[in-house]
Amino acid sequence: MTLLIDLFGYLSIVLHGLTIGAQSTMLGGVLFLLFLARPLSPALGPSGAAVLAGTTRIAAWAGVALILFEGIAVALQTAVLVSTVDLSVIQVLGANFALAGLVKIAATAVIAVLLFAGGPRVPLPTLLALMLVELAAATLTTHAAARIEDSRLLLLAEGLHQFGAAIWIGGIPCFLLALARVHGGRAWRAVGARFSRMSMVGVGCILLSGVTMSLFYIGDWAGFYGTAYGVMVGAKICMFLGLLALGGGNFLLVERLRADPATPVTRLKRFAEVELGIGIAIFFAAASLTSVPPAVDLTVDRVTMQELIARNTPVVPRLASPDHDTLALPALQEQLDKEAAAGRAAPSAAFIPGSGLLPARNTADIAWSEYNHHWAGLCVLAIGLLALAHRAGLGWARHWPLMFLALAVFLFFRSDPETWPMGNIGFLDSLRDIEVLQHRAVLPLIVAFAFFEWRVRAQGWTRKGAAMVFPLICALGGILLLTHTHAIANVKEQLLIEVSHTPLALAAIAAGGARWLELRLDPPGNRIAGWVWPACFLLIGLILLSYREA
């Protein structure tokens, strides 16, 4: 239970991201069923029946996932509150967050049962009523529910925002299934045109609600760039613009099908796949927003524009590391050991992970962190250059993925110097610190990336799915960066660090999407994408090289 409490903050963000994804997929599946699959089924013939059945399964199983994730989230919050506050389980379950979660679970369970039992024949009014109940309950767990002023307007905006995400991003899995089941230009155009109109409704809902919430939650320009809430909203806006670009490309292709039904639809499918990946990243960014207060509530410790410019002005990279003994924790531990030896007492630990206290830091810790980021930047920059060289036809550069192994070894030893193998804190004990846990979780991803991509590049490994590890890990790495937290007491310093990490996350997601398109698109689109992702690596390397903490 102690470990659960230690990791509660981060686990709640991950669970919330999964919950948003499952909710959007379920609601999107139901809306796709009601407004596309059912109306078009007679005209699509046997393919229409397959789309109906597939859409129903997607919505039903997404409902099962939503019940699972929401149930775990409520149980986790209940367990933590019962363990830390003098409340019984019954008292906690009577709280607003628990009641809203239980209503979501109940409404979703009825939807799932109806879809499994009745298939696509469930009456439209019944499904819509249950959807509204689930959506209303989900809205009551947002920032809007805690507002004293303008709460009704903000609740409406939050609900509209979730509805827009569901009908657009949540409907993409069903859209991809429909494109795979139907055949012929006329059928593809019918499905594409109807989903384009649905997506436009979703875009309108997101834009209207997004602008409204920005005005009330951020307030002004200084709140946008000077708070963690504003920075994460900025990340969502960047990804939203990427979705609009991909969706606009698909809209133009659907219109081309009107004039020429023989137009290939490969790009339509591949762009939709990347849209889905970016949408998942947006869901986790939205989950991260729930862990920070709205910008209007943070009136102190905001970062100024001058501080942003000063911190992000490029400087000469730090390529010399301070000695390990000069770091705050090792120095403090040495002092405590000496005092204990003088008093013939058992030495106390300078820092206990999960204690709720932040570790001590000094100028040597800052220099250590900057050194790590700058050398990692040089490594990633070299990877990007070698990948471009390989793309240009230099065969010897095909071994570039092995550089990720060197990066993984470097980070294994250097990322958390107070823990094993360099520090006194044991491996398992260190995992109670959420920042250390996140660092450790990234290392297997880097190793897997290096292994699979090197086998694909250097050894011509043609095993199905091996090449897809690259884009998937890039996207996952970007999502982890969006949810990454830093154990720093100074709110302003923490934000200045996160400002540099957010572009890294966006570049990683863009690299993953470009590599996916290189593998899945037809020429010439795949060749263009093949030049984009190495450029993203170069950008990541340059950002890391300019990283500063002071």
Side-chain angles (χ1 to χ4, degrees):
M1 180 56 68
T2 304
L3 180 60
L4 182 64
I5 295 173
D6 295 340
L7 304 180
F8 169 72
Y10 187 68
L11 289 178
S12 63
I13 294 175
V14 173
L15 273 174
H16 193 46
L18 294 171
T19 301
I20 294 173
Q23 173 185 291
S24 297
T25 304
M26 183 195 73
L27 297 180
V30 171
L31 292 168
F32 193 94
L33 176 69
L34 298 180
F35 299 115
L36 192 152
R38 278 186 181 178
L40 295 184
S41 180
L44 297 176
S47 297
V51 172
L52 275 173
T55 300
T56 304
R57 285 194 300 270
I58 289 175
W61 283 110
V64 172
L66 176 56
I67 293 169
L68 175 64
F69 296 140
E70 186 66 32
I72 294 174
V74 172
L76 176 65
Q77 290 175 294
T78 301
V80 169
L81 286 174
V82 169
S83 300
T84 56
V85 184
D86 188 20
L87 293 173
S88 66
V89 173
I90 298 300
Q91 289 174 315
V92 174
L93 291 178
N96 289 339
F97 82 89
L99 291 175
L102 294 175
V103 171
K104 284 176 65 176
I105 291 172
T108 303
V110 176
I111 291 175
V113 168
L114 289 175
L115 291 175
F116 279 125
R121 300 181 300 277
V122 181
L124 184 148
T126 302
L127 286 177
L128 288 179
L130 290 168
M131 281 178 52
L132 288 175
V133 172
E134 195 281 336
L135 193 58
T139 302
L140 291 175
T141 63
T142 62
H143 281 303
R147 308 305 293 180
I148 298 176
E149 298 179 353
D150 305 305
S151 60
R152 292 184 179 179
L153 175 62
L154 289 172
L155 284 170
L156 179 62
E158 292 274 11
L160 194 63
H161 205 68
Q162 294 183 61
F163 175 81
I167 196 172
W168 180 16
I169 302 172
I172 292 177
C174 297
F175 177 55
L176 290 170
L177 177 138
L179 291 178
R181 293 290 186 271
V182 303
H183 304 283
R186 295 185 182 278
W188 283 325
R189 188 192 177 280
V191 171
R194 180 65 64 93
F195 188 68
S196 290
R197 290 194 289 271
M198 292 174 61
S199 298
M200 289 177 188
V201 173
V203 170
C205 291
I206 292 172
L207 282 175
L208 179 60
S209 59
V211 170
T212 302
M213 290 189 293
S214 294
L215 291 174
F216 283 90
Y217 287 149
I218 298 177
D220 55 20
W221 178 242
F224 180 72
Y225 66 77
T227 65
Y229 189 94
V231 169
M232 192 56 65
V233 169
K236 288 184 64 179
I237 291 173
C238 290
M239 290 186 284
F240 178 72
L241 292 175
L243 287 178
L244 283 181
L246 293 167
N250 275 349
F251 174 80
L252 294 176
L253 191 146
V254 169
E255 290 304 303
R256 284 173 56 192
L257 283 168
R258 184 196 303 272
D260 182 10
T263 300
V265 295
T266 301
R267 194 186 76 186
L268 186 68
K269 300 176 183 178
R270 305 310 170 226
F271 275 19
E273 292 167 355
V274 176
E275 281 185 76
L276 180 59
I278 296 175
I280 292 172
I282 291 178
F283 292 153
F284 280 91
S288 293
L289 280 176
T290 63
S291 66
V292 295
V296 293
D297 296 335
L298 187 66
T299 57
V300 296
D301 289 328
R302 286 187 174 186
V303 174
T304 65
M305 181 59 72
Q306 291 76 15
E307 288 170 324
L308 275 177
I309 294 173
R311 180 61 64 88
N312 292 282
T313 300
V315 296
V316 177
R318 187 187 296 272
L319 303 181
S321 173
D323 293 333
H324 183 267
D325 293 341
T326 63
L327 302 180
L329 284 182
L332 179 57
Q333 187 65 60
E334 182 180 0
Q335 179 183 347
L336 293 174
D337 291 345
K338 288 180 179 179
E339 293 174 355
R344 297 184 179 180
S348 57
F351 174 68
I352 301 175
S355 63
L357 301 175
L358 296 176
R361 283 171 60 86
N362 58 21
T363 55
D365 288 277
I366 293 174
W368 184 282
S369 179
E370 290 180 352
Y371 172 90
N372 291 352
H373 283 81
H374 294 166
W375 273 103
L378 285 174
C379 186
V380 176
L381 194 63
I383 288 170
L385 291 172
L386 288 173
L388 285 173
H390 184 222
R391 181 71 187 172
L394 298 179
W396 57 268
R398 68 185 181 279
H399 298 288
W400 63 263
L402 293 179
M403 291 199 67
F404 274 106
L405 291 179
L407 179 61
V409 172
F410 176 78
L411 295 177
F412 174 74
F413 285 98
R414 298 270 319 182
S415 60
D416 299 288
E418 71 277 5
T419 68
W420 181 87
M422 296 192 72
N424 296 323
I425 301 174
F427 176 76
L428 293 179
D429 288 336
S430 71
L431 298 182
R432 292 179 179 273
D433 187 310
I434 190 59
E435 185 174 357
V436 175
L437 178 63
Q438 293 173 83
H439 290 163
R440 298 300 187 194
V442 168
L443 294 178
L445 296 179
I446 296 175
V447 172
F449 183 107
F451 172 75
F452 282 92
E453 193 61 19
W454 179 72
R455 291 286 303 272
V456 170
R457 299 280 178 176
Q459 299 186 336
W461 200 16
T462 57
R463 186 170 180 177
K464 186 178 180 180
M468 310 310 291
V469 171
F470 176 167
L472 293 176
I473 287 184
C474 276
L476 180 57
I479 290 172
L480 288 174
L481 271 176
L482 287 176
T483 60
H484 186 48
T485 57
H486 298 88
I488 298 176
N490 189 305
V491 174
K492 186 179 290 188
E493 286 299 319
Q494 186 178 35
L495 175 60
L496 285 168
I497 292 175
E498 290 177 357
V499 165
S500 66
H501 282 61
T502 301
L504 293 175
L506 296 177
I509 293 168
R515 175 59 173 160
W516 184 277
L517 293 177
E518 182 189 20
L519 294 169
R520 304 274 287 167
L521 269 182
D522 295 328
N526 62 339
R527 290 194 293 269
I528 297 172
W531 290 100
V532 171
W533 65 260
C536 292
F537 276 27
L538 293 179
L539 178 60
I540 292 172
L542 292 173
I543 295 173
L544 288 170
L545 277 174
S546 64
Y547 176 84
R548 293 167 59 192
E549 290 188 17

